[in-house]
Amino acid sequence: MEAKNINTTIYVAKVEELDDKDRQLVETSIEATNNSYAPYSRFHVGAAVRLDNGVIIPGCNQENAAFGVTICAERTALFAAGAQYPKAKVEAIAITARNADGLLDEPVSPCGTCRQAMVETEKRSGKKLRILLNGKNSVYIIEGIGALLPLTFSDEQL
């Protein structure tokens, strides 16, 4: 048996250390938490994607009593971008979460389904997706979905 190590590099910064484009994206994701519909979990997630044309599209989680109908903030933003700007490429996504006590101290990571949606988004754009996971204390900066989902499933395996 052989062991394989999969290494991930995550950069950690404060919001004030981000450049203007990334800071604006994070701030939009924070604002998007206010539009979340989360009456069951009370866990409000906001996301924002930046397209290569400079447009920023927000998204937020939308819960439903039939939990399978619920959609996460990340996919809401990614799918809205694809529907509204089908030829534009997604460059970056920022994700922020809050609960009854306010913004989470540390960043929240996207679920597996959203990670898989990011794989397809990255494939469509042809370049690594910049991922900004925002918390009150820090922002995790990740270059490429492979760092969050190293053993990805793609059309190459079909």
Side-chain angles (χ1 to χ4, degrees):
M1 180 182 314
E2 168 188 352
K4 281 191 172 188
N5 288 320
I6 300 172
N7 297 315
T8 297
T9 300
I10 297 174
Y11 300 94
V12 181
K14 300 284 186 196
V15 172
E16 4 356 297
E17 296 175 304
L18 300 175
D19 66 21
D20 291 341
K21 286 171 50 174
D22 283 350
R23 191 175 317 109
Q24 181 184 17
L25 195 64
V26 166
E27 289 169 357
T28 302
S29 76
I30 293 168
E31 292 168 15
T33 67
N34 295 321
N35 297 326
S36 164
Y37 179 70
Y40 308 104
S41 71
R42 304 221 181 343
F43 189 68
H44 302 271
V45 182
V49 297
R50 183 177 59 240
L51 306 178
D52 61 356
N53 61 9
V55 172
I56 292 178
I57 302 199
C60 56
N61 58 321
Q62 301 292 307
E63 292 182 350
N64 191 291
F67 292 129
V69 180
T70 297
I71 188 167
C72 300
E74 299 91 329
R75 284 179 287 138
T76 301
L78 290 169
F79 297 165
Q84 295 175 41
Y85 298 91
K87 293 189 186 333
K89 296 178 180 180
V90 177
E91 292 182 333
I93 185 168
I95 304 158
T96 301
R98 67 177 168 82
N99 58 25
D101 297 325
L103 292 181
L104 300 183
D105 289 339
E106 295 302 320
V108 67
S109 188
C111 74
T113 303
C114 289
R115 290 175 193 217
Q116 187 62 42
M118 288 183 210
V119 168
E120 194 70 21
T121 298
E122 192 172 272
K123 182 184 178 302
R124 285 176 71 183
S125 75
K127 65 178 190 173
K128 288 187 176 184
L129 179 64
R130 185 173 177 82
I131 304 163
L132 304 164
L133 306 178
N134 180 53
K136 258 195 303 194
N137 296 332
S138 58
V139 178
Y140 295 168
I141 303 164
I142 302 153
E143 298 296 340
I145 189 59
L148 285 179
L149 188 62
L151 300 174
T152 62
F153 175 78
S154 71
D155 64 332
E156 295 164 1
Q157 292 147 333
L158 295 176

